[in-house]
mmCIF file of all heavy atoms in Angstrom:
data_model
loop_
_atom_site.group_PDB
_atom_site.id
_atom_site.type_symbol
_atom_site.label_atom_id
_atom_site.label_comp_id
_atom_site.label_asym_id
_atom_site.label_seq_id
_atom_site.Cartn_x
_atom_site.Cartn_y
_atom_site.Cartn_z
ATOM 1 N N VAL N 182 -16.563 17.051 -5.262
ATOM 2 C CA VAL N 182 -15.649 16.241 -4.451
ATOM 3 C C VAL N 182 -14.513 15.765 -5.361
ATOM 4 O O VAL N 182 -14.772 15.261 -6.469
ATOM 5 C CB VAL N 182 -16.362 15.041 -3.806
ATOM 6 C CG1 VAL N 182 -15.392 14.267 -2.922
ATOM 7 C CG2 VAL N 182 -17.572 15.504 -3.016
ATOM 8 N N ARG N 183 -13.287 15.912 -4.880
ATOM 9 C CA ARG N 183 -12.109 15.471 -5.642
ATOM 10 C C ARG N 183 -11.314 14.482 -4.815
ATOM 11 O O ARG N 183 -11.047 14.713 -3.632
ATOM 12 C CB ARG N 183 -11.244 16.666 -6.035
ATOM 13 C CG ARG N 183 -9.956 16.267 -6.728
ATOM 14 C CD ARG N 183 -9.248 17.454 -7.318
ATOM 15 N NE ARG N 183 -7.942 17.066 -7.873
ATOM 16 C CZ ARG N 183 -7.236 17.828 -8.681
ATOM 17 N NH1 ARG N 183 -7.689 19.029 -9.041
ATOM 18 N NH2 ARG N 183 -6.076 17.407 -9.145
ATOM 19 N N TRP N 184 -10.890 13.404 -5.510
ATOM 20 C CA TRP N 184 -10.146 12.322 -4.857
ATOM 21 C C TRP N 184 -8.980 11.953 -5.757
ATOM 22 O O TRP N 184 -9.168 11.688 -6.953
ATOM 23 C CB TRP N 184 -11.097 11.141 -4.640
ATOM 24 C CG TRP N 184 -10.508 9.931 -3.996
ATOM 25 C CD1 TRP N 184 -9.508 9.880 -3.089
ATOM 26 C CD2 TRP N 184 -10.936 8.576 -4.209
ATOM 27 N NE1 TRP N 184 -9.260 8.586 -2.727
ATOM 28 C CE2 TRP N 184 -10.121 7.764 -3.389
ATOM 29 C CE3 TRP N 184 -11.908 7.981 -5.002
ATOM 30 C CZ2 TRP N 184 -10.257 6.377 -3.359
ATOM 31 C CZ3 TRP N 184 -12.048 6.610 -4.961
ATOM 32 C CH2 TRP N 184 -11.233 5.819 -4.136
ATOM 33 N N ASP N 185 -7.764 11.927 -5.222
ATOM 34 C CA ASP N 185 -6.543 11.648 -5.999
ATOM 35 C C ASP N 185 -5.780 10.467 -5.396
ATOM 36 O O ASP N 185 -4.753 10.656 -4.734
ATOM 37 C CB ASP N 185 -5.633 12.879 -6.036
ATOM 38 C CG ASP N 185 -6.284 14.056 -6.722
ATOM 39 O OD1 ASP N 185 -6.383 14.032 -7.950
ATOM 40 O OD2 ASP N 185 -6.702 14.997 -6.016
ATOM 41 N N PRO N 186 -6.248 9.239 -5.635
ATOM 42 C CA PRO N 186 -5.546 8.076 -5.075
ATOM 43 C C PRO N 186 -4.336 7.678 -5.929
ATOM 44 O O PRO N 186 -4.489 7.361 -7.116
ATOM 45 C CB PRO N 186 -6.611 6.975 -5.103
ATOM 46 C CG PRO N 186 -7.512 7.361 -6.233
ATOM 47 C CD PRO N 186 -7.503 8.858 -6.303
ATOM 48 N N PRO N 187 -3.119 7.695 -5.373
ATOM 49 C CA PRO N 187 -1.944 7.214 -6.124
ATOM 50 C C PRO N 187 -1.830 5.699 -6.026
ATOM 51 O O PRO N 187 -2.484 5.059 -5.181
ATOM 52 C CB PRO N 187 -0.780 7.911 -5.421
ATOM 53 C CG PRO N 187 -1.250 8.038 -3.998
ATOM 54 C CD PRO N 187 -2.742 8.219 -4.052
ATOM 55 N N GLY N 188 -0.982 5.119 -6.872
ATOM 56 C CA GLY N 188 -0.834 3.671 -6.816
ATOM 57 C C GLY N 188 0.233 3.148 -7.754
ATOM 58 O O GLY N 188 0.666 3.834 -8.687
ATOM 59 N N LEU N 189 0.650 1.917 -7.489
ATOM 60 C CA LEU N 189 1.545 1.153 -8.350
ATOM 61 C C LEU N 189 0.708 0.045 -8.977
ATOM 62 O O LEU N 189 0.216 -0.847 -8.271
ATOM 63 C CB LEU N 189 2.706 0.568 -7.544
ATOM 64 C CG LEU N 189 3.670 -0.356 -8.288
ATOM 65 C CD1 LEU N 189 4.395 0.402 -9.387
ATOM 66 C CD2 LEU N 189 4.674 -0.977 -7.323
ATOM 67 N N TYR N 190 0.530 0.090 -10.282
ATOM 68 C CA TYR N 190 -0.422 -0.786 -10.964
ATOM 69 C C TYR N 190 0.325 -1.804 -11.823
ATOM 70 O O TYR N 190 1.125 -1.428 -12.684
ATOM 71 C CB TYR N 190 -1.377 0.034 -11.834
ATOM 72 C CG TYR N 190 -2.108 1.120 -11.071
ATOM 73 C CD1 TYR N 190 -1.666 2.437 -11.123
ATOM 74 C CD2 TYR N 190 -3.221 0.831 -10.298
ATOM 75 C CE1 TYR N 190 -2.318 3.442 -10.427
ATOM 76 C CE2 TYR N 190 -3.886 1.816 -9.598
ATOM 77 C CZ TYR N 190 -3.432 3.120 -9.667
ATOM 78 O OH TYR N 190 -4.083 4.103 -8.961
ATOM 79 N N ASP N 191 0.056 -3.081 -11.575
ATOM 80 C CA ASP N 191 0.568 -4.187 -12.393
ATOM 81 C C ASP N 191 -0.610 -4.783 -13.140
ATOM 82 O O ASP N 191 -1.477 -5.429 -12.538
ATOM 83 C CB ASP N 191 1.241 -5.250 -11.517
ATOM 84 C CG ASP N 191 2.471 -4.719 -10.800
ATOM 85 O OD1 ASP N 191 3.136 -3.840 -11.367
ATOM 86 O OD2 ASP N 191 2.750 -5.177 -9.677
ATOM 87 N N VAL N 192 -0.641 -4.566 -14.448
ATOM 88 C CA VAL N 192 -1.792 -4.983 -15.242
ATOM 89 C C VAL N 192 -1.363 -5.969 -16.317
ATOM 90 O O VAL N 192 -0.211 -5.976 -16.754
ATOM 91 C CB VAL N 192 -2.477 -3.760 -15.893
ATOM 92 C CG1 VAL N 192 -3.028 -2.828 -14.829
ATOM 93 C CG2 VAL N 192 -1.514 -3.003 -16.798
ATOM 94 N N HIS N 193 -2.305 -6.795 -16.713
ATOM 95 C CA HIS N 193 -2.041 -7.764 -17.787
ATOM 96 C C HIS N 193 -2.021 -7.036 -19.126
ATOM 97 O O HIS N 193 -2.854 -6.171 -19.407
ATOM 98 C CB HIS N 193 -3.109 -8.845 -17.797
ATOM 99 C CG HIS N 193 -3.021 -9.758 -18.985
ATOM 100 N ND1 HIS N 193 -2.054 -10.739 -19.099
ATOM 101 C CD2 HIS N 193 -3.765 -9.823 -20.121
ATOM 102 C CE1 HIS N 193 -2.216 -11.374 -20.237
ATOM 103 N NE2 HIS N 193 -3.239 -10.844 -20.880
ATOM 104 N N CYS N 194 -1.055 -7.408 -19.963
ATOM 105 C CA CYS N 194 -0.934 -6.810 -21.300
ATOM 106 C C CYS N 194 -0.509 -7.910 -22.266
ATOM 107 O O CYS N 194 0.544 -8.524 -22.087
ATOM 108 C CB CYS N 194 0.084 -5.661 -21.293
ATOM 109 S SG CYS N 194 0.337 -4.897 -22.910
ATOM 110 N N GLU N 195 -1.310 -8.156 -23.267
ATOM 111 C CA GLU N 195 -0.968 -9.176 -24.262
ATOM 112 C C GLU N 195 0.152 -8.654 -25.162
ATOM 113 O O GLU N 195 -0.015 -7.673 -25.875
ATOM 114 C CB GLU N 195 -2.195 -9.535 -25.098
ATOM 115 C CG GLU N 195 -1.913 -10.629 -26.109
ATOM 116 C CD GLU N 195 -3.138 -10.987 -26.924
ATOM 117 O OE1 GLU N 195 -4.249 -10.604 -26.514
ATOM 118 O OE2 GLU N 195 -2.986 -11.629 -27.978
ATOM 119 N N MET N 196 1.300 -9.318 -25.084
ATOM 120 C CA MET N 196 2.478 -8.884 -25.831
ATOM 121 C C MET N 196 2.512 -9.517 -27.226
ATOM 122 O O MET N 196 2.341 -10.725 -27.367
ATOM 123 C CB MET N 196 3.746 -9.267 -25.064
ATOM 124 C CG MET N 196 3.815 -8.708 -23.651
ATOM 125 S SD MET N 196 3.909 -6.921 -23.636
ATOM 126 C CE MET N 196 3.865 -6.591 -21.867
ATOM 127 N N ASP N 197 2.739 -8.684 -28.220
ATOM 128 C CA ASP N 197 2.886 -9.137 -29.599
ATOM 129 C C ASP N 197 4.367 -9.048 -29.956
ATOM 130 O O ASP N 197 4.902 -7.959 -30.172
ATOM 131 C CB ASP N 197 2.055 -8.270 -30.541
ATOM 132 C CG ASP N 197 2.065 -8.791 -31.967
ATOM 133 O OD1 ASP N 197 2.789 -9.769 -32.242
ATOM 134 O OD2 ASP N 197 1.357 -8.221 -32.823
ATOM 135 N N VAL N 198 5.048 -10.204 -30.021
ATOM 136 C CA VAL N 198 6.495 -10.241 -30.255
ATOM 137 C C VAL N 198 6.819 -10.588 -31.705
ATOM 138 O O VAL N 198 7.935 -11.006 -31.998
ATOM 139 C CB VAL N 198 7.164 -11.275 -29.320
ATOM 140 C CG1 VAL N 198 7.026 -10.854 -27.870
ATOM 141 C CG2 VAL N 198 6.561 -12.666 -29.522
ATOM 142 N N THR N 199 5.883 -10.391 -32.603
ATOM 143 C CA THR N 199 6.106 -10.757 -33.999
ATOM 144 C C THR N 199 7.305 -10.027 -34.581
ATOM 145 O O THR N 199 8.129 -10.622 -35.285
ATOM 146 C CB THR N 199 4.848 -10.444 -34.832
ATOM 147 O OG1 THR N 199 3.735 -11.135 -34.272
ATOM 148 C CG2 THR N 199 5.049 -10.886 -36.282
ATOM 149 N N TYR N 200 7.429 -8.731 -34.273
ATOM 150 C CA TYR N 200 8.486 -7.924 -34.864
ATOM 151 C C TYR N 200 9.582 -7.573 -33.860
ATOM 152 O O TYR N 200 10.252 -6.562 -33.998
ATOM 153 C CB TYR N 200 7.881 -6.644 -35.443
ATOM 154 C CG TYR N 200 6.864 -6.910 -36.518
ATOM 155 C CD1 TYR N 200 5.502 -6.879 -36.233
ATOM 156 C CD2 TYR N 200 7.254 -7.229 -37.800
ATOM 157 C CE1 TYR N 200 4.561 -7.139 -37.214
ATOM 158 C CE2 TYR N 200 6.318 -7.497 -38.790
ATOM 159 C CZ TYR N 200 4.981 -7.453 -38.486
ATOM 160 O OH TYR N 200 4.056 -7.718 -39.461
ATOM 161 N N PHE N 201 9.747 -8.383 -32.832
ATOM 162 C CA PHE N 201 10.821 -8.194 -31.867
ATOM 163 C C PHE N 201 12.185 -8.181 -32.598
ATOM 164 O O PHE N 201 12.429 -9.026 -33.463
ATOM 165 C CB PHE N 201 10.782 -9.350 -30.858
ATOM 166 C CG PHE N 201 11.946 -9.375 -29.907
ATOM 167 C CD1 PHE N 201 11.915 -8.651 -28.746
ATOM 168 C CD2 PHE N 201 13.073 -10.137 -30.190
ATOM 169 C CE1 PHE N 201 12.989 -8.676 -27.869
ATOM 170 C CE2 PHE N 201 14.150 -10.165 -29.323
ATOM 171 C CZ PHE N 201 14.090 -9.429 -28.166
ATOM 172 N N PRO N 202 13.083 -7.208 -32.317
ATOM 173 C CA PRO N 202 13.020 -6.162 -31.284
ATOM 174 C C PRO N 202 12.575 -4.799 -31.798
ATOM 175 O O PRO N 202 12.919 -3.784 -31.200
ATOM 176 C CB PRO N 202 14.469 -6.108 -30.831
ATOM 177 C CG PRO N 202 15.246 -6.344 -32.084
ATOM 178 C CD PRO N 202 14.432 -7.297 -32.915
ATOM 179 N N PHE N 203 11.827 -4.746 -32.902
ATOM 180 C CA PHE N 203 11.301 -3.480 -33.420
ATOM 181 C C PHE N 203 9.796 -3.415 -33.186
ATOM 182 O O PHE N 203 9.044 -2.899 -34.018
ATOM 183 C CB PHE N 203 11.606 -3.345 -34.918
ATOM 184 C CG PHE N 203 13.060 -3.458 -35.255
ATOM 185 C CD1 PHE N 203 13.595 -4.644 -35.746
ATOM 186 C CD2 PHE N 203 13.916 -2.390 -35.074
ATOM 187 C CE1 PHE N 203 14.937 -4.751 -36.060
ATOM 188 C CE2 PHE N 203 15.263 -2.490 -35.385
ATOM 189 C CZ PHE N 203 15.775 -3.675 -35.872
ATOM 190 N N ASP N 204 9.345 -3.922 -32.063
ATOM 191 C CA ASP N 204 7.927 -4.099 -31.824
ATOM 192 C C ASP N 204 7.286 -2.916 -31.100
ATOM 193 O O ASP N 204 7.948 -2.142 -30.423
ATOM 194 C CB ASP N 204 7.690 -5.386 -31.010
ATOM 195 C CG ASP N 204 8.541 -5.436 -29.759
ATOM 196 O OD1 ASP N 204 9.660 -4.913 -29.794
ATOM 197 O OD2 ASP N 204 8.090 -5.981 -28.733
ATOM 198 N N TYR N 205 5.986 -2.795 -31.285
ATOM 199 C CA TYR N 205 5.123 -1.886 -30.541
ATOM 200 C C TYR N 205 4.241 -2.723 -29.611
ATOM 201 O O TYR N 205 3.843 -3.830 -29.967
ATOM 202 C CB TYR N 205 4.227 -1.071 -31.468
ATOM 203 C CG TYR N 205 4.948 -0.046 -32.302
ATOM 204 C CD1 TYR N 205 5.551 -0.397 -33.503
ATOM 205 C CD2 TYR N 205 4.993 1.292 -31.920
ATOM 206 C CE1 TYR N 205 6.195 0.548 -34.294
ATOM 207 C CE2 TYR N 205 5.638 2.243 -32.701
ATOM 208 C CZ TYR N 205 6.233 1.860 -33.883
ATOM 209 O OH TYR N 205 6.875 2.790 -34.654
ATOM 210 N N GLN N 206 3.928 -2.170 -28.461
ATOM 211 C CA GLN N 206 3.027 -2.836 -27.533
ATOM 212 C C GLN N 206 1.927 -1.864 -27.132
ATOM 213 O O GLN N 206 2.208 -0.705 -26.823
ATOM 214 C CB GLN N 206 3.770 -3.343 -26.285
ATOM 215 C CG GLN N 206 4.915 -4.293 -26.570
ATOM 216 C CD GLN N 206 4.485 -5.573 -27.251
ATOM 217 O OE1 GLN N 206 3.332 -5.991 -27.129
ATOM 218 N NE2 GLN N 206 5.394 -6.207 -27.986
ATOM 219 N N THR N 207 0.698 -2.343 -27.145
ATOM 220 C CA THR N 207 -0.455 -1.536 -26.737
ATOM 221 C C THR N 207 -1.063 -2.148 -25.487
ATOM 222 O O THR N 207 -1.579 -3.271 -25.531
ATOM 223 C CB THR N 207 -1.501 -1.464 -27.863
ATOM 224 O OG1 THR N 207 -0.898 -0.900 -29.031
ATOM 225 C CG2 THR N 207 -2.678 -0.609 -27.443
ATOM 226 N N CYS N 208 -0.968 -1.429 -24.386
ATOM 227 C CA CYS N 208 -1.457 -1.913 -23.093
ATOM 228 C C CYS N 208 -2.488 -0.932 -22.538
ATOM 229 O O CYS N 208 -2.549 0.227 -22.970
ATOM 230 C CB CYS N 208 -0.309 -2.079 -22.101
ATOM 231 S SG CYS N 208 1.014 -3.167 -22.680
ATOM 232 N N SER N 209 -3.272 -1.382 -21.584
ATOM 233 C CA SER N 209 -4.331 -0.533 -21.039
ATOM 234 C C SER N 209 -4.478 -0.755 -19.548
ATOM 235 O O SER N 209 -4.180 -1.838 -19.022
ATOM 236 C CB SER N 209 -5.664 -0.805 -21.736
ATOM 237 O OG SER N 209 -6.115 -2.117 -21.442
#
Side-chain angles (χ1 to χ4, degrees):
V182 183
R183 175 170 175 166
W184 179 31
D185 297 285
L189 175 64
Y190 305 99
D191 296 328
V192 297
H193 172 75
C194 178
E195 183 179 345
M196 303 295 177
D197 186 355
V198 295
T199 303
Y200 300 99
F201 173 86
F203 304 100
D204 52 327
Y205 291 84
Q206 302 299 335
T207 301
C208 304
S209 66

